Amino acid sequence: MTYKQTFDRVVRHAREIALWESSASVLGWDERTKMPSAATEYRAEQLSLLAGTIHSRRVDAEYGAWLAELAESPLAADRTSDTGATIRHLKRDYDKQVKLPQTLVEELVRTASLAQHIWQQARERSDFSAFRDVLGKMFELKRAQAEAIGYKHTPYDALLDDYEPDESTAAVERVLAELRDALVPLVAAIASSGRRADASILSRHFARDAQENFGQRAAAEIGFDFGRGRLDVTAHPFCSSLGPDDCRITTRFDEQFFNSAFFGILHEAGHGIYDQGLRTDWHGLPPGAAISLGIHESQSRMWENLVGRSLPFWQHFYPQARTVFPSLADVPLEDFYFAVNHVQPSLIRVEADEATYNLHILIRFELEQALVADELRIDDLPAAWNAKYHDYLGITPSDDADGVLQDIHWAAGLVGYFPTYSLGNLYASQFFAAADAELGGLGQQFAAGQFGPLKEWLVEHIHSVGQCFTAAELVERVTGKPLSHRPLIAHLRGKLAPLYGL
């Protein structure tokens, strides 16, 4: 058999796995949007069965032999070519997955399915005790996963690798510490400036239907293709790609708070635009897949914040907003713009301002490391959470719903995921600065309702690249520099200094 024939067999096998995975994604999307609560236990069994089937295909011995042969072939010589990246990533995944017992894989999926349902009920009642036991089981399973895979320095490295391949806990700690050290004095300067936005503007009445129509229209204008996707409602917003032409985004509505749904839609649409920008001819294979969760987050955070909270964006959209929402009729653009960029420590991560958002991530990053290392007991988690909010943000949650129960990630088994949000903010600012320099002034384009040039730039430089480069390589390739906290701090200072007179 020639190397080309072996490669074709690998491609067929990997695409079959992708079909199984997309089928599981359909069930997962349905579970969080449409499924009746009584179906929870049976859905957990369905997803567990699929997870076992997928795992057995991912660790098939013949498939592993093909990959081992190809790794030494001329087809793998150029590691950044489509074929080279395919072989490199699929073999890396095989070598990792073969270490995991199928029973562990199935139990992780079964527990995550049940835990998400339990989390939702516990959050509605603001009762951590109802979630404690299943959360404890989830972290036991994640520790078992880390031990099975292996790690050089800390078990957290093994879990972080699921979302940010080739990254280490130590490197993430270093870059986030640099970001924290620059953020803290900026937030302090804002707090002592004496200036305050009228944030009550955002707590007027905003009809649900009007929010949905306005948010969907904005998502379409920035580039989300509703012919290949849709918008639904869920308890915790997410984006899920069920196939090359089937991208589902979700949000949640609050008629007394504008930001929740609108910026949630922009955020998830950013994820969706990335998924829709991947090469469909390589779907199910590394050249048609996202590089990392951090790079994926860079796209959502870019559209949500660097675009969606910019003055030029609202110079274009605010006349429409005042027509759609009568409660804004007497609010000048300048006051609305200040309100959506108001900096104030808050309890809810997904509703946090740009300046304090990363402090929410640092809290979760530190807590989940302690949980994985078994240095923090599950029973002590709510108190530890509240203490960190007091230390980092100067506020303390009054109940579990606004505290330790606000995120679904740990229930879903997404341990190691949280730092990718801050990495995404860093990547986004560095990419945006490069795009702005190359495209010659994005602000003027946004004010004129022209979002296509940025989207096309992102497709060319980031989306269509797939996994041919690592995240670190992509940043240097696109921006000419390694990842740094400086572009994000420059962006924040450039926006916030005029608003707060700094």
Side-chain angles (χ1 to χ4, degrees), residues 365-417:
F365 181 42
E366 293 173 4
L367 288 173
E368 66 180 7
Q369 285 187 75
L371 288 166
V372 169
D374 212 9
E375 296 169 354
L376 175 64
R377 295 171 61 247
I378 293 293
D379 284 345
D380 297 331
L381 179 58
W385 180 286
N386 292 349
K388 284 192 178 291
Y389 262 78
H390 179 270
D391 293 343
Y392 277 75
L393 292 160
I395 54 179
T396 304
S398 60
D399 59 27
D400 292 337
D402 284 346
V404 70
L405 289 176
Q406 67 177 269
D407 291 304
I408 197 173
H409 298 64
W410 292 336
L414 304 180
V415 179
Y417 190 117

Side-chain angles (χ1 to χ4, degrees), residues 218-488:
E221 280 202 48
I222 67 172
F224 184 78
D225 183 355
F226 280 95
R228 301 170 62 204
R230 56 179 286 134
L231 172 67
D232 292 280
V233 180
T234 190
H236 191 97
F238 67 96
C239 171
S240 183
S241 256
L242 311 184
D245 296 302
D246 188 356
C247 183
R248 313 290 178 92
I249 62 174
T250 64
T251 194
R252 59 188 181 197
F253 293 96
D254 182 344
E255 292 197 329
Q256 302 306 129
F257 188 54
F258 174 82
N259 287 17
S260 183
F262 184 77
F263 289 108
I265 289 172
L266 288 189
H267 180 97
E268 302 306 337
H271 280 303
I273 290 169
Y274 187 3
D275 286 343
Q276 291 177 343
L278 297 169
R279 286 182 283 168
T280 57
D281 56 330
W282 282 93
H283 178 73
L285 299 165
I291 295 174
S292 73
L293 259 295
I295 298 298
H296 224 307
E297 278 301 320
S298 78
Q299 304 305 283
S300 59
R301 298 294 286 175
M302 184 184 298
W303 286 108
E304 176 191 357
N305 291 325
L306 284 92
V307 179
R309 294 182 194 268
S310 71
L311 182 58
F313 178 90
W314 287 108
Q315 286 171 336
H316 171 66
F317 276 107
Y318 196 59
Q320 301 175 45
R322 294 181 74 180
T323 300
V324 172
F325 304 112
S327 57
L328 295 177
D330 64 337
V331 179
L333 168 61
E334 294 75 15
D335 291 353
F336 180 82
Y337 169 67
F338 195 1
V340 298
N341 287 289
H342 179 51
V343 175
Q344 182 174 338
S346 59
L347 294 172
I348 307 300
R349 174 187 63 83
V350 297
E351 296 170 2
D353 60 81
E354 284 186 87
T356 63
Y357 179 90
N358 292 292
L359 299 178
H360 292 258
I361 299 305
L362 283 163
I363 290 169
R364 291 153 175 78
F365 181 42
E366 293 173 4
L367 288 173
E368 66 180 7
Q369 285 187 75
L371 288 166
V372 169
D374 212 9
E375 296 169 354
L376 175 64
R377 295 171 61 247
I378 293 293
D379 284 345
D380 297 331
L381 179 58
W385 180 286
N386 292 349
K388 284 192 178 291
Y389 262 78
H390 179 270
D391 293 343
Y392 277 75
L393 292 160
I395 54 179
T396 304
S398 60
D399 59 27
D400 292 337
D402 284 346
V404 70
L405 289 176
Q406 67 177 269
D407 291 304
I408 197 173
H409 298 64
W410 292 336
L414 304 180
V415 179
Y417 190 117
F418 276 120
T420 68
Y421 286 114
S422 285
L423 291 173
N425 287 331
L426 296 168
Y427 293 140
S429 298
Q430 199 154 327
F431 289 147
F432 190 85
D436 188 48
E438 186 173 327
L439 295 174
L442 289 171
Q444 291 180 334
Q445 295 173 20
F446 297 162
Q450 298 171 2
F451 303 99
L454 174 60
K455 179 198 168 185
E456 291 163 8
W457 188 91
L458 293 170
V459 170
E460 178 185 351
H461 291 86
I462 298 171
H463 307 175
S464 64
V465 172
Q467 295 180 341
C468 290
F469 301 92
T470 67
E473 289 169 344
L474 183 73
V475 171
E476 290 220 37
R477 176 183 170 89
V478 174
T479 72
K481 299 177 182 178
L483 181 66
S484 168
H485 68 286
R486 293 183 179 85
L488 175 56

